Amino acid sequence: MPLDESLAFVPLRIAAATVSDTRVAATDTSGDTLVARITTAGHVLAARAIIRDEVPPLVVQMNAWIDDPGVDVIITTGGTGVTGRDVTPEAFEQIIEKPIPGFGELFRWLSFQTIGTSTIQSRACAGLARGTYIFCLPGSPGAVKDGWDGILASQLDARHRPCNFVELLPRLRER
């Protein structure tokens, strides 16, 4: 879909979290991939963290970012699989107010083009919590590329037509 170049780009403040029991800053390749795409697109990296695959610390960190007026969007990478330690969707479900089911559906369709039926193991998800967008991607650099390049790059660009998530930001807290 085209960008309307007559419109101004609106940089968003995006918090990035890697959900992992094993990664540290030096080995966080999916987080590095995500941060590079955020900043290359012209957005602001508002915060970055590596969080253990446990529901309580994930919920605490996401709630802190949701309540921070300096964060418009949260993107996580990791913890969306089906193993016992993959709990990002469970944490997400504790805070989400409005799910965006089309995100996970579209992510898996795009991912299918790359990894085939293995995409069925992904529980990628998205939604809104108190006016903040949250997108949860799987924890590989390839999954981050699929999610960012195929969905988020355009939906987080105010110039994308026919519509995008950015233009809805002022109305997300309406009641």
Side-chain angles (χ1 to χ4, degrees), residues 5-171:
E5 299 294 343
S6 70
L7 298 173
F9 177 79
V10 177
L12 299 175
R13 299 161 298 190
I14 302 174
T18 298
V19 180
S20 175
D21 290 335
T22 59
R23 295 205 185 139
V24 295
T27 60
D28 186 14
T29 54
S30 58
D32 291 343
T33 301
L34 177 59
V35 168
R37 278 171 162 65
I38 289 167
T39 57
T40 298
H43 297 293
V44 175
L45 181 64
R48 182 176 181 180
I50 298 175
I51 306 165
R52 288 188 54 81
D53 252 329
E54 296 175 2
V55 172
L58 277 167
V59 169
V60 166
Q61 183 61 76
M62 283 196 256
N63 275 322
W65 283 340
I66 290 164
D67 293 337
D68 182 343
V71 174
D72 301 311
V73 176
I74 299 167
I75 304 174
T76 69
T77 175
T80 63
V82 296
T83 72
R85 296 291 301 157
D86 292 321
V87 298
T88 300
E90 286 75 19
F92 171 86
E93 288 171 5
Q94 288 190 18
I95 60 170
I96 207 66
E97 295 168 341
K98 287 189 178 187
I100 304 172
F103 176 82
E105 295 161 359
L106 180 55
F107 173 83
R108 282 179 284 281
W109 179 81
L110 291 168
S111 180
F112 179 79
Q113 313 304 313
T114 307
I115 65 169
T117 59
S118 295
T119 192
I120 201 166
Q121 295 180 28
S122 167
R123 297 185 301 144
C125 52
L128 291 166
R130 300 188 308 278
T132 301
Y133 289 113
I134 304 170
F135 302 97
C136 303
L137 297 169
S140 71
V144 170
K145 291 174 187 174
D146 287 346
W148 183 271
D149 298 351
I151 306 170
L152 296 174
S154 57
Q155 281 298 298
L156 298 180
D157 190 328
R159 303 167 298 169
H160 178 74
R161 291 292 164 249
C163 57
N164 59 75
F165 285 133
V166 181
E167 63 195 3
L168 300 176
L169 274 168
R171 298 179 47 213

